[in-house]
Amino acid sequence: MKQLPAETVRLLSSSQVITSVVSVVKELIENSLDANATSIDVKLENYGFDKIEVRDNGDGIKAADVPVMAVKHYTSKISCPEDLECLTTYGFRGEALGSICCIAEVLITTKTAADDFSTQYILDSSGHVTSQKPSHLGQGTSVTALKLFKNLPVRKQFYSTSKKCKEELKKIQDLLMAYGIIKPELRIIFTHNKELYRDHQLILSATEQLSDGNNLRLLPTWTEFELVT
Ligand code: ADP
Ligand code: MG
């Protein structure tokens, strides 16, 4: 037996955390929700294999956290096993961004309330920042993953038919709908190949008071658009 090189171990473990386009979208949306976002834009190109971008209006990432934001096993959410007893966040393992960096090219743009302007960071495959430049986004964070599975041909092969790709889009739509149902105040916009695929605008449920004093709960609805493939 031989010990696998560290780079191979990293790639294999990342491919277990990130198994599909939908798992990237899920991890990025959960990060946005953990950062108190109320509006999230999800944009895909070529079913997410060329580009996945998730942009939120959440708290942003503090400059002090930037050097480790995408390094595996760094998290702002727990600091000891006891914290697992009272989790209030979706994430806590500090693995998502690091895993995405390992199997895609990643850019992160972020701005906190304390920052004067946003900064765009380019990350390498180990999640370290290789360059940065000022940017023009408002408060929040935008994570872009380019060329997903560029170094995992087996995963790409799995999505080589248009049927599989369309199934993946449907799964993403269902996932966004699920978040919409549990978070009625959340606004999500989903775009594929620059065409608005589903415009998901949720209306605050608790504020809609019926005349009999009961609250009207409005379920999320999608405005239907033609899917451009
Ligand atoms: P985890 O969510 O388990 O902590 P991630 O790799 O998903 O691990 O994210 C690492 C850290 O980067 C988070 O703990 C958080 O501090 C920061 N982060 C990631 N995405 C966002 C975001 N959209 N807004 C604000 N902070 C973020
Ligand atoms: Mg996370």
Side-chain angles (χ1 to χ4, degrees):
M1 272 193 236
K2 277 179 250 137
Q3 189 175 18
L4 289 170
E7 245 335 273
T8 311
V9 173
R10 239 184 96 72
L11 183 62
L12 293 178
S13 65
S14 298
S15 69
Q16 285 177 308
V17 177
I18 301 298
T19 54
S20 58
V21 175
V22 70
S23 63
V24 177
V25 173
K26 175 178 176 290
E27 293 293 344
L28 297 182
I29 289 212
E30 291 186 348
N31 281 345
S32 297
L33 295 175
D34 287 344
N36 304 307
T38 56
S39 175
I40 302 177
D41 274 59
V42 179
K43 288 184 188 163
L44 305 185
E45 282 175 28
N46 184 25
Y47 300 98
F49 294 106
D50 289 353
K51 181 174 176 177
I52 301 169
E53 185 180 286
V54 175
R55 180 170 168 181
D56 68 51
N57 66 346
D59 301 334
I61 302 171
K62 285 192 288 227
D65 289 337
V66 161
V68 292
M69 66 189 170
V71 176
K72 276 202 189 184
H73 313 302
Y74 276 81
T75 179
S76 55
K77 298 169 193 175
I78 61 165
S79 45
C80 60
E82 290 70 44
D83 291 347
L84 293 170
E85 306 285 339
C86 50
L87 274 180
T88 55
T89 55
Y90 288 101
F92 57 88
R93 289 176 291 126
E95 274 192 303
L97 290 183
S99 300
I100 298 169
C101 285
C102 196
I103 53 167
E105 292 172 11
V106 177
L107 306 166
I108 300 182
T109 307
T110 193
K111 179 183 181 300
T112 65
D115 297 331
D116 295 333
F117 52 85
S118 64
T119 306
Q120 185 192 70
Y121 302 93
I122 298 181
L123 298 145
D124 67 13
S125 66
S126 59
H128 292 104
V129 175
T130 57
S131 70
Q132 67 180 74
K133 63 176 186 190
S135 158
H136 61 277
L137 296 189
Q139 188 185 322
T141 302
S142 173
V143 179
T144 306
L146 304 165
K147 302 187 195 161
L148 185 70
F149 299 139
K150 58 180 178 144
N151 47 358
L152 280 173
V154 179
R155 284 265 191 261
K156 272 201 100 164
Q157 178 67 23
F158 183 74
Y159 294 103
S160 58
T161 64
S162 103
K163 183 168 173 274
K164 278 268 175 245
C165 287
K166 284 179 182 165
E167 282 170 10
E168 194 70 5
L169 274 189
K170 173 77 172 69
K171 282 186 202 162
I172 293 167
Q173 187 199 336
D174 290 347
L175 177 80
L176 299 182
M177 181 67 95
Y179 287 115
I181 289 169
I182 57 166
K183 298 217 172 251
E185 69 288 355
L186 183 65
R187 178 175 177 273
I188 305 174
I189 294 190
F190 180 26
T191 316
H192 178 240
N193 287 349
K194 302 205 167 91
E195 296 291 326
L196 195 61
Y197 176 39
R198 296 281 192 266
D199 183 357
H200 183 196
Q201 178 96 55
L202 293 172
I203 302 157
L204 263 177
S205 59
T207 55
E208 296 283 325
Q209 280 261 322
L210 293 177
S211 53
D212 62 5
N214 289 322
N215 285 332
L216 172 68
R217 163 124 181 132
L218 295 174
L219 284 176
T221 53
W222 294 98
T223 313
E224 298 282 337
F225 287 86
E226 273 299 296
L227 170 58
V228 177
T229 55

